[in-house]
Amino acid sequence: MKNILFAASECAPFLKTGGLADVVGSLPKYLDKAYFDCRVVMPYYSCMDPKWRSLATFHSSFYMDIDGKDVYVGILECDYDGVHYYFIDNEEYLGREKPYLGMPTDLGRFAFFCKAVLSILPVVGFRPDIIHCHDWQTGFIPVYLNSFFQGNSFFHGIKSIMTIHNLKFQGIWDKPLFMKVSGLPEYYFSPDKMEFHRDANMLKGGMVYANALTTVSATYAEEIKTPYYGERLDGLLRARAHDLRGIVNGIDYDVFNPETDEMIPYHFSAEDPSNKKKVKEELQKRMGLSTEGDAMVIGIVSRLTDQKGFDLIACVMEEMLQDNVQFAVLGTGDQRYEDMFRYFADKYPGKVGAAIYYSEEVAHMIYAGSDAFLMPSAFEPCGLSQMMAMRYGSLPIVRETGGLKDTVQPYNEFDKSGTGFSFTNYNAHDMMNVVRYAEKVYFDRPDDWAQLVKQAMNADYSWKASALKYQEMYDWMCGY
Ligand code: GLC
């Protein structure tokens, strides 16, 4: 039996702001329980929904040294859906109104979390063979394993993995504060370690000290070795190319299932998708869209940030709205994109519905009720929404980058293969042309469209294949 510990700043259903939580909350369930005891540790934020927060029960507490002070570490735990969870509690660091407060506050908060993750292990009596760290908030864990915790025999031989869900977020601040909150000596802040253009970088620490690196699609693993996508860490990634793997995410097939999903009013399947029309009508009503004239409904469910390609949409939205299409948009994020969708919803009532908030239920309605799903990302480490859309028979229209390229097979009009539509360059008119091509297929070749829907719904984006790849990596790292 191998022991694996996932460490992350968020995990569905306990707390979710993005795809990271979906991955951390689903992958452990799909590892073979006969060979892997995979547990998860995350912060016990007071802003967690009380429904989930109250599942955890107190285990024990102790005091830990941070910056010369004794700070409280509470341990809570629970079993949920076959996985054992640990939560780390400290009112001062984690008792805030939001999970993320921005730098430099978050540096201290997550430095605390990283040290606590390692410190609780002897207390709970779980010795992982591998600590699998996710994103910059956990970047100090590999560094601490190689420094403070080295001398303690409990930790000898524990390996670590750093998984990059989004290279854009690295946790950067000046060196003096890093040294203060981490307690690490100057030695760790040279350019080959945590220094980063005169500042210091938490993700870089994880990337230097972890035994292996992964990211969430094969294409993104290649892209981030180039300056264009590398966010100034491409050199390090090229240097560690032999230790870097790209393993595409899966989605939770129990949660995203058009045959059983309780968040949608009618159920359907690849064999019998007829009810999808009824869901579409419900969605249109809910989003204030007209139900007349069989428009093609294009869904968008996203964090509204510049990563996601909304600048392209801004350029050509007016033009696209001349066609018989409607947009159903859900998400929150940067003010300018929120305002943009509100503006279009106002200007084109019945054609654009903008839900500027987050709701899991509306998200499911959009996946299930839309005909197509637009994701023109500037970069996309993996992307989960396109897989969710395909599962519900909404055909993704994506830019060929990162995981979008790896998961969406573009329509081939000659042999009728494909599960969606795609374009290559980050260019608004390229995007619009492909949207119009999709409209053409939707309106003029309904048989082809139906076949694509079936193919998209039948494609396998579950964790089955990817969980095996993680298992293989764990085996390789443990040497058996
Ligand atoms: C980040 C990435 C997204 C990826 C997710 C889970 O949110 O932006 O592409 O799917 O992490 O790995």
Side-chain angles (χ1 to χ4, degrees), residues 296 298 316-325 327 372 374 397 411 421 423 428-445 449:
M296 178 170 112
I298 301 176
V316 293
M317 188 74 168
E318 295 272 356
E319 238 176 300
M320 290 194 293
L321 283 167
Q322 306 312 311
D323 303 352
N324 189 15
V325 296
F327 284 84
L374 185 57
I397 302 172
Y411 168 55
F421 300 86
F423 61 101
H429 283 90
D430 285 9
M431 177 191 77
M432 188 178 69
N433 288 338
V434 174
V435 171
R436 291 198 157 151
Y437 180 50
E439 287 168 30
K440 200 172 152 57
V441 181
Y442 179 81
F443 290 113
D444 301 345
R445 301 178 208 156
W449 189 273

Side-chain angles (χ1 to χ4, degrees), residues 20-37:
L20 166 65
D22 288 315
V23 173
V24 177
S26 53
L27 173 56
K29 288 199 269 179
Y30 292 91
L31 297 172
D32 188 340
K33 294 205 165 55
Y35 297 97
F36 297 94
D37 180 355

Side-chain angles (χ1 to χ4, degrees), residues 63-308:
Y63 283 82
M64 180 177 84
D65 174 71
I66 289 262
D67 192 19
K69 281 183 302 204
D70 271 345
V71 299
Y72 174 86
V73 179
I75 309 172
L76 292 97
E77 62 182 348
C78 76
D79 279 310
Y80 177 74
D81 212 0
V83 176
H84 196 76
Y85 291 87
Y86 297 110
F87 299 88
I88 289 178
D89 185 26
N90 175 298
E91 189 61 27
E92 187 189 332
Y93 289 108
L94 305 167
R96 309 293 282 267
E97 67 287 357
K98 290 191 296 190
Y100 306 118
L101 301 164
M103 290 299 240
T105 316
D106 283 347
L107 181 61
R109 300 170 72 228
F110 291 110
F112 160 78
F113 175 66
C114 289
K115 195 166 183 186
V117 164
L118 295 171
S119 303
I120 69 163
L121 297 176
V123 181
V124 298
F126 182 68
R127 186 194 171 281
D129 295 286
I130 295 172
I131 304 182
H132 191 154
C133 307
H134 297 267
D135 274 356
W136 72 267
Q137 294 88 349
T138 57
F140 278 147
I141 293 176
V143 187
Y144 284 150
L145 263 180
N146 283 275
S147 52
F148 296 142
F149 292 82
Q150 269 272 316
N152 183 333
S153 60
F154 179 90
F155 293 91
H156 280 176
I158 296 183
K159 303 266 176 38
S160 62
I161 299 172
M162 189 77 231
T163 290
I164 301 163
H165 292 262
N166 194 334
L167 191 61
K168 192 166 179 93
F169 304 110
Q170 301 177 5
I172 301 166
W173 204 257
D174 63 25
K175 279 201 262 178
L177 187 69
F178 257 74
M179 288 175 67
K180 187 170 153 59
V181 301
S182 69
L184 292 162
E186 181 98 48
Y187 168 83
Y188 287 92
F189 296 93
S190 55
D192 59 329
K193 303 188 186 71
M194 265 191 290
E195 180 185 283
F196 186 70
H197 303 276
R198 302 229 173 97
D199 286 326
N201 182 324
M202 197 152 157
L203 180 67
K204 188 179 175 198
M207 287 167 61
V208 168
Y209 282 97
N211 301 88
L213 306 176
T214 78
T215 186
V216 287
S217 69
T219 294
Y220 194 60
E222 291 308 312
E223 287 173 339
I224 55 179
K225 286 182 271 186
T226 67
Y228 185 79
Y229 290 100
E231 304 287 349
R232 303 203 289 174
L233 284 171
D234 47 297
L236 173 58
L237 285 158
R238 283 195 298 278
R240 294 213 63 186
H242 289 298
D243 304 315
L244 169 66
R245 302 177 186 216
I247 303 177
V248 73
N249 291 328
I251 55 170
D252 197 326
Y253 264 36
D254 302 333
V255 177
F256 297 95
N257 183 349
E259 293 180 55
T260 55
D261 190 337
E262 284 171 9
M263 296 189 199
I264 59 175
Y266 304 98
H267 294 127
F268 55 93
S269 65
E271 283 59 50
D272 181 10
S274 51
N275 273 345
K276 190 170 162 66
K277 272 206 167 58
K278 293 196 204 160
V279 184
K280 175 173 171 176
E281 209 173 307
E282 279 300 314
L283 172 70
Q284 286 172 314
K285 285 186 199 149
R286 177 134 11 147
M287 303 286 293
L289 301 169
S290 157
T291 49
E292 307 289 306
D294 188 36
M296 178 170 112
V297 174
I298 301 176
I300 293 176
V301 176
S302 182
R303 282 183 289 120
L304 303 179
T305 63
D306 49 11
Q307 169 189 341
K308 302 292 181 176

Side-chain angles (χ1 to χ4, degrees), residues 304 329-333 337-339 341-342 354-358:
L304 303 179
V329 183
L330 171 71
T332 59
Y337 301 125
E338 294 188 351
D339 289 347
F341 284 119
R342 284 195 187 104
I356 306 301
Y357 50 83
Y358 194 76

